[in-house]
Amino acid sequence: SGTFYQHAPTEASQATLASVSPVFAVMKLDKEGNTTYFEKKKTELYQELGLQARDLRFQHLMSIATRNNRIILRMEFLKAVITPEFLLILDYRNLNLEHWLFNELASQLAGEGQLVTYSLPFEFRAIEAILQHRISKLQGRLNTLQPQILETLEALVDPKLLSVDRSKLHILLQNGKSLSELETDLKVFKETILEILDEEELIEELCLSKWTDPQVFEESTSGIDHAEEMELLLENYYRQAEDLANEARELRVLIDDSESIIFINLDSHRNVMMRLNLQLTMGTFSLSLFGLIGVAFGMNLESSLEEDPRIFWLVTGIMFLGSGLIWRRLLSFLGRHLEPPLPPHVPAVLKKSQPATGRVEIKNHLKAETFGLSRSTLTNQ
């Protein structure tokens, strides 16, 4: 009986741990595009796939790894396991990818889409479909941010505006934050792909059918290098991510340049107000200086001058004339010392051919306006 009571808590704890094991909602797609749905506990799933529990943790937001001739892939919220025969999408109910999962992915794997790897083994199609979807999502985010940022910048760098619209600045701040998140996602995507491209062994491990299908192995030995095809596939999407990163970097440079122009514009208007205040102060000083004559005549002291009826107009004329002359002299002194130096001579630059896309035209137009505004505001200042 002592032995029974000693083992009873252990069996109960094991039963409790098994009951709380996470359950995956799994979407299974095979080579023909047939789709099945089922739920399975994590312990049962990794045992069937020949994996270990830590292989299905999906610790990183983006990762591509191979375990026991299985590809374990994660793209942000998408968690997938690729085998030579089928593709498993885990927790598909919690994803915001219903249209792609239910309407496009199966047809792509069956060869009805526009995948260039349809003639290659199944894992090539699965990897390309997932990478293509990820790049399209990043491209869509950039296409959404780009016109909003350009429109906001065009409104903010307008030299006719004496003040900055706070609502536009708030929109620019939000778009800048979204752009930073996009740049981070692109950087993680590129780093993940580059880690595989730098290791030849990792590329070989991604070719699952090469080690399980004799026909594929014979093709690889006869001259069709599947590892090279996998490398070209990954390099293609790496270049696409690099292009998107360059466009995002151009937007970031435009935002930084426009912020500088906004500050220059505000400084220019502030300098105008300061100069006007200085001119009024000079005018007040000039009037006060010659106003001393009127103060002297306003004293309750008798002299022979107040008996002459023409002396009032003479003193008043001297006061206004003297004040005006002193004010003009002060203004000319102010103009000589605040006059900006002549700008350096800039040689003529050959104009580049006008790009075909309207998006590049908008960016070039904005750059030209920004450059012209900076020259005018600096000259005024």
Side-chain angles (χ1 to χ4, degrees):
S1 63
T3 305
F4 172 77
Y5 285 109
Q6 184 178 358
H7 289 83
T10 304
E11 294 176 357
S13 62
Q14 291 178 353
T16 303
L17 290 176
S19 61
V20 299
S21 177
V23 178
F24 286 127
V26 183
M27 178 180 181
K28 181 178 180 181
L29 302 99
D30 59 12
K31 298 180 179 179
E32 288 75 24
N34 300 322
T35 307
T36 55
Y37 310 93
F38 56 89
E39 293 184 355
K40 186 159 291 189
K41 291 184 179 180
K42 180 180 179 180
T43 53
E44 299 175 356
L45 184 61
Y46 71 73
Q47 289 174 1
E48 290 183 4
L49 295 174
L51 302 174
Q52 298 183 2
R54 62 174 177 268
D55 296 331
L56 300 181
R57 287 176 187 167
F58 300 99
Q59 300 176 356
H60 306 285
L61 288 178
M62 180 173 177
S63 61
I64 302 175
T66 55
R67 297 286 189 278
N68 195 20
N69 208 33
R70 304 284 189 268
I71 300 175
I72 304 169
L73 186 146
R74 178 168 186 178
M75 293 286 175
E76 200 174 12
F77 302 109
L78 179 65
K79 296 178 285 187
V81 178
I82 303 174
T83 71
E85 294 81 19
F86 54 82
L87 166 66
L88 299 181
I89 306 295
L90 308 182
D91 290 337
Y92 68 94
R93 296 174 181 171
N94 300 328
L95 304 177
N96 297 322
L97 308 174
E98 290 83 2
H99 178 75
W100 176 67
L101 289 175
F102 296 103
N103 300 330
E104 298 181 8
L105 181 58
S107 60
Q108 287 179 337
L109 296 178
E112 299 176 3
Q114 297 180 354
L115 300 181
V116 298
T117 56
Y118 176 67
S119 58
L120 295 173
F122 176 75
E123 62 270 16
F124 285 81
R125 281 177 276 164
I127 292 176
E128 184 183 5
I130 295 175
L131 293 179
Q132 186 184 82
H133 174 72
R134 180 60 177 165
I135 285 293
S136 64
K137 294 290 288 184
L138 295 174
Q139 179 71 60
R141 290 168 58 184
L142 181 62
N143 293 339
T144 302
L145 283 174
Q146 193 172 45
Q148 296 178 359
I149 291 176
L150 294 178
E151 181 182 358
T152 306
L153 293 180
E154 287 181 352
L156 287 175
V157 299
D158 189 358
K160 299 178 181 179
L161 297 178
L162 299 179
S163 62
V164 179
D165 190 354
R166 293 181 178 270
S167 61
K168 295 292 184 181
L169 287 178
H170 183 66
I171 294 174
L172 183 62
L173 180 63
Q174 292 180 339
N175 291 334
K177 182 179 179 181
S178 301
L179 183 62
S180 300
E181 294 175 355
L182 177 60
E183 290 177 333
T184 302
D185 293 341
L186 287 169
K187 180 180 178 181
V188 172
F189 183 91
K190 292 186 339 183
E191 290 178 351
T192 305
I193 299 296
L194 191 60
E195 288 178 0
I196 301 176
L197 292 175
D198 291 339
E199 298 292 337
E200 185 176 355
E201 296 180 357
L202 296 178
I203 299 177
E204 291 281 352
E205 292 176 356
L206 292 177
C207 303
L208 305 179
S209 301
K210 182 178 180 179
W211 315 109
T212 58
D213 192 344
Q215 181 179 358
V216 176
F217 183 78
E218 291 178 1
E219 292 178 354
S220 61
T221 56
S222 62
I224 302 177
D225 193 351
H226 288 82
E228 184 178 354
E229 296 290 341
M230 181 64 71
E231 182 178 1
L232 292 176
L233 173 64
L234 296 176
E235 188 176 356
N236 176 35
Y237 285 97
Y238 178 83
R239 287 199 304 268
Q240 294 185 32
E242 182 68 23
D243 294 338
L244 294 180
N246 291 334
E247 294 185 16
R249 195 177 301 113
E250 290 181 3
L251 285 178
R252 176 63 61 188
V253 171
L254 280 178
I255 291 177
D256 295 339
D257 292 344
S258 299
E259 288 179 352
S260 301
I261 295 304
I262 291 172
F263 293 145
I264 292 174
N265 194 10
L266 293 177
D267 290 339
S268 176
H269 292 300
R270 183 167 54 249
N271 292 338
V272 171
M273 299 302 296
M274 292 175 62
R275 184 164 183 166
L276 177 61
N277 186 21
L278 183 58
Q279 292 174 352
L280 294 177
T281 302
M282 291 178 177
T284 304
F285 170 75
S286 303
L287 290 175
S288 301
L289 181 62
F290 280 87
L292 294 176
I293 301 176
V295 173
F297 278 91
M299 292 187 295
N300 295 325
L301 297 177
E302 295 182 357
S303 63
S304 61
L305 295 177
E306 66 269 8
E307 298 177 357
D308 190 349
R310 296 173 298 178
I311 199 65
F312 171 78
W313 301 106
L314 178 62
V315 172
T316 303
I318 293 174
M319 289 173 55
F320 281 100
L321 181 60
S323 300
L325 291 176
I326 290 183
W327 192 32
R328 287 290 301 272
R329 294 289 296 175
L330 291 176
L331 290 181
S332 62
F333 174 81
L334 179 65
R336 286 197 306 270
H337 285 77
L338 295 183
E339 184 178 358
L342 294 177
H345 176 69
V346 180
V349 181
L350 294 178
K351 296 183 179 179
K352 297 182 179 180
S353 59
Q354 188 176 6
T357 58
R359 182 180 59 196
V360 180
E361 291 178 356
I362 295 177
K363 291 195 290 186
N364 292 339
H365 177 66
L366 180 58
K367 289 181 180 179
E369 287 186 352
T370 303
F371 178 71
L373 176 59
S374 61
R375 291 187 60 185
S376 62
T377 51
L378 286 174
T379 305
N380 293 333
Q381 184 177 358

